[in-house]
Amino acid sequence: MKMEALKTAGYTLVAAMLCNLPATAQVASPAPKLYNTAKQKLLDGKQIFSVTISKPDPEAYCEAAKHYDYTWFEMQHSTLTWADIEKMVATCPHVAATPMVRIHDELESSIQHATDIGLLGIIMPTVDTVEKAEATVRYAKYPPEGRRSMGAGQAARIWGGDGPDATMKYRTSINENMLVVVMIETPVGVAHASEIASVPGVDAVLVANTDLGNFSGWFDHNAAPYQGMVKRIHDATLHSGKFLGATDSSYSKGRPDSADFRMLQNGPSTDGWVNPNRPAARGPSR
């Protein structure tokens, strides 16, 4: 009887130890890092800066992208094609700057091209409505968060690897790694800033500094009405728990709210390198 009691106590102790192992391992293991390193930096509380690429030059792209947090492939105001961007991404697929694109529209076909060639961020310009923000999320993400379909582009090979399970590795990880960014550029967008920023799946909201003046008529960016629009976007974005950004990289320093601006177009490189194609975009040092 005594032996049976000892056995029972021993089994209970072992069972308790085994039950505790997963919890102990979970506490000890750090959260996995995203392969979208720009998004990971935002989650880590850092500011990120881009290099803007508007020309189909793989060599120049691969060199510049070594020195920035993310690449802003410019399609809204350039003649870049999807084939151009596909080739550049394939030439140096794991370069430091996370590849993203400012896209020209929110159509399913356009966003599908962007995601299938391996881009990890969609930057949507001139967002005036909730519907445009929702469409951006819808086609940038797989179900259940979105309505992206599965294609055979190079994305899975770049981010999932070369093995037989590469496609599913990519399929099950990309929603978390995709960065969905909307730009507010007009007084109409400013009026709807709270609703736009609150759209589920939108990660960041950018103040489009130049066009905010262009569309509003306030070309003096220091004027009170202009800064009032910036503040409205600022407050709506932070209230929604999203990342705030600007296309004017000078917002990263020198303002009372500079620490709130986390995603900037252009600006300084990570290591002091000056882009010979955009020397004026050096911006403030980090």
Side-chain angles (χ1 to χ4, degrees):
M1 192 73 179
K2 186 175 180 181
M3 182 62 68
E4 290 300 319
L6 287 173
K7 285 182 179 180
T8 301
Y11 294 150
T12 302
L13 178 60
V14 170
M17 291 173 65
L18 290 173
C19 288
N20 286 331
L21 279 177
T24 303
Q26 187 174 5
V27 171
S29 300
K33 295 291 185 181
L34 300 178
Y35 50 78
N36 183 333
T37 55
K39 188 172 183 179
Q40 184 65 59
K41 288 174 183 177
L42 288 173
L43 292 169
D44 291 342
K46 300 175 181 177
Q47 287 182 323
I48 61 172
F49 298 84
S50 76
V51 58
T52 299
I53 300 294
S54 302
K55 303 291 185 184
D57 187 335
E59 184 178 354
Y61 157 66
C62 290
E63 177 55 41
K66 295 175 185 176
H67 308 284
Y68 291 87
D69 301 303
Y70 71 105
T71 295
W72 179 302
F73 285 112
E74 179 54 58
M75 290 195 82
Q76 184 192 18
H77 294 296
S78 82
T79 57
L80 278 179
T81 67
W82 293 119
D84 293 332
I85 300 176
E86 180 180 38
K87 182 177 179 180
M88 286 189 277
V89 172
T91 301
C92 48
H94 298 114
V95 72
T98 298
M100 306 188 198
V101 61
R102 174 157 68 174
I103 205 166
H104 41 285
D105 58 51
E106 72 276 24
L107 295 178
E108 178 178 7
S109 58
S110 299
I111 297 175
Q112 185 78 75
H113 282 316
T115 52
D116 280 358
I117 64 176
L119 300 180
L120 298 182
I122 303 296
I123 303 167
M124 185 60 65
T126 328
V127 177
D128 286 344
T129 65
V130 165
E131 288 76 17
K132 188 168 184 176
E134 288 176 338
T136 308
V137 175
R138 182 179 305 121
Y139 300 123
K141 296 197 173 187
Y142 287 122
E145 295 171 64
R147 194 178 144 78
R148 177 184 171 189
S149 63
M150 293 184 70
Q154 66 185 13
R157 183 172 69 256
I158 291 173
W159 304 113
D162 294 319
D165 57 347
T167 297
M168 286 310 298
K169 279 184 178 179
Y170 173 76
R171 168 64 179 82
T172 56
S173 64
I174 187 57
N175 278 6
E176 183 183 14
N177 280 276
M178 185 61 64
L179 190 67
V180 177
V181 183
V182 298
M183 300 179 67
I184 295 183
E185 314 194 24
T186 72
V188 175
V190 173
H192 297 138
S194 291
E195 295 95 325
I196 291 168
S198 298
V199 169
V202 167
D203 296 298
V205 179
L206 299 192
V207 177
N209 296 92
T210 300
D211 266 323
L212 194 59
N214 174 44
F215 285 107
S216 69
W218 290 102
F219 294 100
D220 178 0
H221 291 190
N222 294 315
Y226 181 93
Q227 286 300 317
M229 291 188 290
V230 171
K231 187 175 190 310
R232 187 162 179 176
I233 298 169
H234 168 283
D235 292 352
T237 302
L238 297 190
H239 180 74
S240 297
K242 307 300 175 67
F243 298 116
L244 176 68
T247 57
D248 183 348
S249 63
S250 72
Y251 274 42
S252 66
K253 286 188 176 183
R255 295 170 56 98
D257 58 358
S258 284
D260 297 331
F261 287 90
R262 303 276 298 284
M263 184 176 184
L264 292 305
Q265 184 185 16
N266 299 319
S269 62
T270 56
D271 54 6
W273 182 80
V274 178
N275 188 347
N277 298 311
R278 292 182 61 89
R282 179 171 185 169
S285 60
R286 296 206 196 184

